Amino acid sequence: VVLIACADQVQELWCSSLDKNSANAYEDRGGSAKSSPIQEVIPWLDQIIVLKEGRLIQNDDAPETYKNPYNQYVAELFGEGNVISDEEKMAFKLGKNFWYPQEIALDKNGAEAEVLESRFAGSHFWNKLLLNGKKLTVHTPEKLSDKVKISFH
């Protein structure tokens, strides 16, 4: 099953490329095979083709597109994330420029970050942290306060 993501707004995607069986299975779970957040259709995807303004941005299998998005536009198709500049990447000794909130974890041996906000978001707490002047969004199972130690996974 191939998804062609060519929306200007990354929240809703046109998924007309789902085959009939996958579309029926997805609709049986309450989804719409025509316009849905990518998180809802990704279990049925073999390949994701991302276009922006008629230009091919990325053409990979679903796991590769999620784990190694070509740029911020592609990464944001999968939801909120943290964009790290090349300078920050070097300073934090990281291997990539885009980190999803669930890829940053509490770690007693990690770097110290200040908690700016911590809000209940259903299945997790949504947190805004400050690490060496960089604001990061991090998901945790518990509410945070004051200072915490984090690492990138």
Side-chain angles (χ1 to χ4, degrees):
V1 178
V2 176
L3 170 92
I4 301 174
C6 53
D8 288 328
Q9 295 185 354
V10 298
Q11 297 303 320
E12 296 290 319
L13 304 172
W14 184 250
C15 304
S16 61
S17 297
L18 288 174
D19 66 41
K20 186 172 173 68
N21 290 335
S22 295
N24 288 341
Y26 178 60
E27 287 173 354
D28 287 345
R29 293 183 52 233
S32 166
K34 294 198 170 56
S35 181
S36 298
I38 196 168
Q39 297 88 343
E40 292 181 13
V41 297
I42 201 164
W44 288 273
L45 300 178
D46 299 310
Q47 182 178 1
I48 299 175
I49 299 169
V50 181
L51 305 170
K52 183 177 182 185
E53 298 172 357
R55 194 173 135 249
L56 177 67
I57 304 296
Q58 188 161 355
N59 180 2
D60 283 310
D61 64 34
E64 178 66 18
T65 305
Y66 178 82
K67 291 176 187 172
N68 297 299
Y70 177 74
N71 61 17
Q72 180 177 350
Y73 176 80
V74 176
E76 288 176 347
L77 292 173
F78 298 98
E80 185 174 33
N82 298 286
V83 178
I84 308 292
S85 70
D86 287 336
E87 295 79 23
E88 292 164 335
K89 181 175 144 182
M90 290 178 64
F92 297 152
K93 298 179 176 129
L94 301 174
K96 61 182 185 174
N97 293 87
F98 192 86
W99 294 82
Y100 298 105
Q102 63 273 18
E103 293 180 305
I104 304 171
L106 298 177
D107 181 348
K108 65 181 178 183
N109 297 317
E112 187 173 270
E114 178 186 355
V115 179
L116 303 175
E117 268 184 276
S118 187
R119 300 179 180 271
F120 180 68
S123 63
H124 61 275
F125 280 84
W126 176 95
N127 305 281
K128 188 61 77 174
L129 307 180
L130 187 63
L131 175 66
N132 297 335
K134 175 69 176 179
K135 288 184 180 179
L136 299 170
T137 302
V138 179
H139 294 171
T140 59
E142 69 272 347
K143 185 173 181 66
L144 303 179
S145 62
D146 301 319
K147 298 203 183 275
V148 296
K149 291 193 174 189
I150 60 169
S151 62
F152 296 76
H153 296 274

